[in-house]
């Protein structure tokens, strides 16, 4: 395997790993999947903004 192909493979693997970790740890999947549910089963999420 040439050095360029190896470098591209390593960079692709690293990017995939970081992306998967981000999606797993930082995305609230219940909110994302709520948009895909039928309208009568959806929940209303209201943002809370503290005022000080």
């Amino acid at each position: 395997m040439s050095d360029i192909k190896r470098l591209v493979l390593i960079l692709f693997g690293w990017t995939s790993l970081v992306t998967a970790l981000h999606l797993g740890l930082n995305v609230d999947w219940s909110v994302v999947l709520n948009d895909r549910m039928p309208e009568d089963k959806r929940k209303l999420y209201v943002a809370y903004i503290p005022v000080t």
Side-chain angles (χ1 to χ4, degrees), residues 21-46:
L21 286 171
H22 169 71
L23 290 174
L25 296 173
N26 295 328
V27 175
D28 188 2
W29 289 104
S30 62
V31 173
V32 173
L33 297 176
N34 188 45
D35 294 338
R36 305 271 186 226
M37 296 179 89
E39 202 168 312
D40 58 337
K41 292 189 176 189
R42 291 182 188 173
K43 293 182 181 178
L44 176 62
Y45 291 100
V46 179

Side-chain angles (χ1 to χ4, degrees), residues 4-23:
I4 298 295
K5 286 184 181 180
R6 185 180 205 155
L7 181 62
V8 168
L9 185 61
I10 289 171
L11 289 175
F12 180 74
W14 177 255
T15 304
S16 299
L17 176 67
V18 170
T19 301
L21 286 171
H22 169 71
L23 290 174

